[in-house]
Amino acid sequence: MNLAQLLDVLREDPCVTHWRTLPARQAQWRPFPPGLDPRLTGALQGLGITALYSHQAEAIRSALAGADTTVVTPTASGKTLCYNVPVLDAILKDEASRALYLFPTKALAQDQLAELRRLSEAAAPQIKVYTYDGDTEPAARTAIRAVGHIVVTNPDMLHTGILPHHTRWVRLFSSLKFVVVDELHQYRGVFGSHVANLLRRLQRVCRFYGSSPVFICASATIANPGELASRLLGREARVVDQNGAPSGEKHFVFYNPPVVNRSLGIRRSSTLEARRLAVGFLKAGVRTIVFARSRIVTEVLLSYLKADAGPAAGAVRGYRGGYLPKERREIERGLREGSVRAVVSTNALELGIDIGGLDAAVLAGYPGSIASTWQQAGRAGRRTDTSVAVLVASSSALDQFVVTRPDYFFHKSPEHGLVNPDNLYILMSHLKCAAFELPFADGEEFGVSTTPALLEFLGEEGVLRRTGDRWHWMSASFPAEEISLRSASAENVVIIDTTRGARVIGEVDRFSAPMLVHEDAIYLHEGRQFHVDKLDWAEGKAYVRPVDVDYYTDAELSVDLKVLACNKEAARPAATHGWGDVRVNALVPMYKKVKLHTHENIGSGRVHLPESELHTTAYWAAVSEEALEGLSKPELQGALSGLANLLANIAPLYLLCDRRDIRVVPQLKSPFTGLPTVFCYDAYPGGTGLSERLFSLAPAVLAAAADLLAGCQCEAGCPSCVGPAITAGPAPKQAAGLLLQLLGEGDGHGLSG
């Protein structure tokens, strides 16, 4: 049975809720821009590239003209040439020219290095291309700094290993012509806010050495690529988003597993359904990639598929964080060469690593954003052949919303990549790093007009000292090493494996630590379980050891939220919407032990830790009591809890964030509004812009929540809509629907303050 026959069988499956056929697209060709070095055009032609796709030609012309440029096209559309061509052209014309490439992961950097070297060696063997990361041998680092024309690295290495030691990189920074920022859409939230400040530091060092590099960014499709690029770079960037690459016919299938418990809204496991579909593709000889939502599910699916494959089990591989680099390279090579017929992966293969041409992608659960879904689906059909992507939904509210609303998914992504580089916690951290790298002159700004006042504060703290008209770093510490790009807090809790020479295996921000690494917690890292033997709260260290148990822990969080300032407000006939500064006090009183697979509660324990305090921003929605006169107190409580669950699931669709990035707290009678209120707050100190965007998008988000609620097949409420914790309450589905109706009343336009 070939792919076409298999698709005919799949069309008859009653679980298929939508089938979208995306027609094949012809390439839009353009000639090489005039003026390219003949050695480069000759190398391209030698590699079989005799013309460029239209977006490649436009992006290259833009970069060569000195404009910051952001290329936004789908997977496998040849974005790499958009930056490799102008970079190599500049080096060929001036051997002193330098370029810096930033990739979000070491694996992606290594993969892109091979293609870059293939082109550079064909054009001019004397061009030196190197990676510079934590795996680079010390002996090689000196040579890279001295002769490297193109340095390929990641934000973390730029943060701790390059910028603080810029005096060793004079050749790079004095002649830097281009900076490439790949996978731009990955730089959002806290990580993106850090990277924006990192790029401020980079540009400051470049100015010191007399260079002004052009930035070339590449991104998957998001709603606001130009805005995200300008926030990250601190200046406007031209957007190139008209894709000229060809593609074969693609079938995109939405698959909703059958209901096994209608009253609770529970469907057959998406993992088991993904297994069944993948086995069908594998037995038909269709090269397949299966994406799982977690490392544990990846390994479970891998064991299933290996068992189902029988003698061909060796052609089925797994791919996730935690695999050794050599093993990952072997799997990637097997995918390109065809010896690996199926791979089960976390989102580690979502990024643009070259894995050749696959024919089918099975997504076991919604990846969390439309951008990620297209990235994963795009891993199949990288050639011009017919391909298929199947999204297998779970019972979660988010999955059910997407799988039952194909028009929402197939229209342009509403998701926004958001960053807040002026978050005070993050800004102050990088201001210290910048001062360590170079003294600040009086009147110099670092992204914000209040820089002089911030420098004065650091002077009062004894970190900086003013001499003449300059502020100099005075502390004995090395600031970059104390700052994680993945957290907004300067004080993280490090996680130490006591069985492996007291090796640090990870870290968690201070606010989340009581929930994740309290004593007796089961901490998951790289697919492995670790028991937390001790949490030294004062020192910020959690001591763990590997275990193999059949349960995980789930901490209970008690939250007290107080509004400190209302920055924006909008009134509706029966509701009030607001956004402002809040203080969140959180206490973890206890935890539960939950059995894997069955989710049974098999035990509990107390957590003895102090209350955590978080200053952040929040969006809130309050409903007038007059409009709720018909609801009893239990019904109102159930309605608020149900609304909170709906918003927690729907908001990430519009904000391009993880569910953990924005948290929702209902209050039966808020001390601030005096009314039944639901608060959605940024889960990081100072906020990262999520709740402010949610305030402006509130009508659309509330309408989507109402749509999800109305479309759910349950009667009174279930985990797929209002959540599992309140299904025993009196008609929470209907009460939550009333709240949504009242909150959404108005003109339907975005809110403004």
Side-chain angles (χ1 to χ4, degrees), residues 15 19 37 92 167 188 195 239 264 267 288 297 304 393 465 483 502 567 575 579-580 613 644 664 723:
C15 293
W19 192 295
D37 191 284
L92 287 169
T167 54
R188 59 185 190 267
V195 170
V239 175
L264 293 179
R267 296 177 178 271
T288 304
V297 174
Y304 288 162
R465 180 178 178 180
I483 298 162
N567 302 327
W579 173 77
E613 185 172 287
V664 187

Side-chain angles (χ1 to χ4, degrees), residues 440-644:
F440 271 92
D442 274 350
E444 182 180 353
E445 288 191 4
F446 187 75
V448 293
S449 60
T450 55
T451 301
L454 298 178
L455 294 173
E456 289 278 0
F457 172 79
L458 291 177
E460 294 171 2
E461 293 291 304
V463 175
L464 302 182
R465 180 178 178 180
R466 184 169 181 167
T467 303
D469 64 348
R470 293 183 178 274
W471 291 95
H472 296 264
W473 179 257
M474 292 299 296
S475 174
S477 63
F478 180 66
E481 286 189 343
E482 300 175 357
I483 298 162
S484 167
L485 298 186
R486 268 72 179 179
S487 170
S489 173
E491 297 182 5
N492 287 342
V493 174
V494 295
I495 301 160
I496 301 169
D497 181 357
T498 58
T499 66
R500 304 169 73 178
R503 185 172 71 92
V504 175
I505 61 172
E507 62 183 0
V508 62
D509 66 89
R510 198 85 175 181
F511 190 74
S512 301
M515 291 173 279
L516 301 177
V517 290
H518 57 81
E519 291 185 2
D520 291 325
I522 299 299
Y523 174 74
L524 296 176
H525 180 78
E526 293 189 348
R528 300 184 64 189
Q529 296 171 307
F530 291 84
H531 182 272
V532 181
D533 294 327
K534 179 183 177 182
L535 174 60
D536 188 332
W537 185 251
E539 293 295 322
K541 296 176 181 177
Y543 298 93
V544 305
R545 56 183 166 85
V547 293
D548 185 10
V549 294
D550 64 348
Y551 69 92
Y552 63 93
T553 52
D554 184 20
E556 179 182 298
L557 182 67
S558 175
V559 172
D560 178 37
L561 184 149
K562 287 185 171 60
V563 177
L564 303 177
C566 179
N567 302 327
K568 295 180 181 180
E569 192 171 30
R572 290 289 185 262
T576 301
H577 301 262
W579 173 77
D581 300 319
V582 299
R583 186 186 71 216
V584 179
N585 292 87
L587 183 67
V588 178
M590 63 173 294
Y591 67 92
K592 296 181 294 183
K593 294 181 179 180
V594 183
K595 191 176 180 64
L596 292 170
H597 307 299
T598 65
H599 292 187
E600 297 172 80
N601 188 345
I602 58 174
S604 63
R606 302 291 300 178
V607 177
H608 303 284
L609 287 171
E611 185 178 72
S612 298
E613 185 172 287
L614 172 71
H615 287 255
T616 184
T617 59
Y619 154 74
W620 59 85
V623 183
S624 70
E625 291 181 326
E626 292 79 7
L628 300 172
E629 286 183 357
L631 291 182
S632 66
K633 188 173 181 179
E635 286 175 326
L636 180 54
Q637 184 68 60
L640 286 167
S641 298
L643 175 60

Side-chain angles (χ1 to χ4, degrees), residues 75-76 246 351-358 378-385 387:
T75 304
L351 301 179
I353 297 171
D354 182 12
I355 55 174
L358 302 175
R379 301 311 262 156
R382 292 173 66 87
R383 298 171 296 188
T384 55
D385 301 333
S387 63

Side-chain angles (χ1 to χ4, degrees), residues 74 108 139 363 666 701:
L108 184 57
L363 283 56
V701 174

Side-chain angles (χ1 to χ4, degrees), residues 1-11 277 280-281 284 286:
M1 184 181 293
N2 58 28
L3 179 58
Q5 294 168 324
L6 200 61
L7 293 179
D8 288 339
V9 174
L10 184 59
R11 285 182 188 275
L277 290 165
F281 288 130
V286 177

